[in-house]
Amino acid sequence: GIGAVQKLDLSFNKTESLPADAFIALPNLRGINLEQNMLHTIHPDAFRGLNNLEYLILRNNNLENVDLTIFN
């Protein structure tokens, strides 16, 4: 099922923000590519529950500040 997904490519999607628990249904994610979007806001709990996350690609977005607690 969808919960088994390990890599997610959401690049080039014009995504502007990530809400809390954005990936909660995908607990086995090991990698997320959010490159080349329009991200300006990432909720501090956007990546909650992703204990297996190994990489996160955020280059070429509109982020000015990233709260480092998103990785706790």
Side-chain angles (χ1 to χ4, degrees), residues 10-15 34-39 60-61:
L10 296 172
S11 58
F12 298 91
N13 275 298
K14 299 182 181 177
T15 303
L34 288 161
E35 177 180 13
Q36 205 70 34
N37 277 286
M38 297 177 169
L39 277 174
N60 296 321
N61 278 285

Side-chain angles (χ1 to χ4, degrees), residues 31-46:
I32 304 171
N33 183 354
L34 288 161
E35 177 180 13
Q36 205 70 34
N37 277 286
M38 297 177 169
L39 277 174
H40 54 79
T41 305
I42 298 176
H43 190 281
D45 293 327

Side-chain angles (χ1 to χ4, degrees), residues 2-69:
I2 194 163
V5 172
Q6 293 188 3
K7 296 179 183 176
L8 187 61
D9 187 344
L10 296 172
S11 58
F12 298 91
N13 275 298
K14 299 182 181 177
T15 303
E16 295 183 7
S17 64
L18 292 178
D21 300 320
F23 305 98
I24 200 75
L26 303 168
N28 293 311
L29 276 180
R30 293 191 177 278
I32 304 171
N33 183 354
L34 288 161
E35 177 180 13
Q36 205 70 34
N37 277 286
M38 297 177 169
L39 277 174
H40 54 79
T41 305
I42 298 176
H43 190 281
D45 293 327
F47 304 106
R48 182 171 33 202
L50 298 184
N51 300 323
N52 297 316
L53 194 64
E54 295 174 2
Y55 69 87
L56 174 64
I57 302 170
L58 292 170
R59 72 177 150 245
N60 296 321
N61 278 285
N62 297 327
L63 294 167
E64 291 185 17
N65 295 303
V66 175
D67 183 344
L68 295 180
T69 63

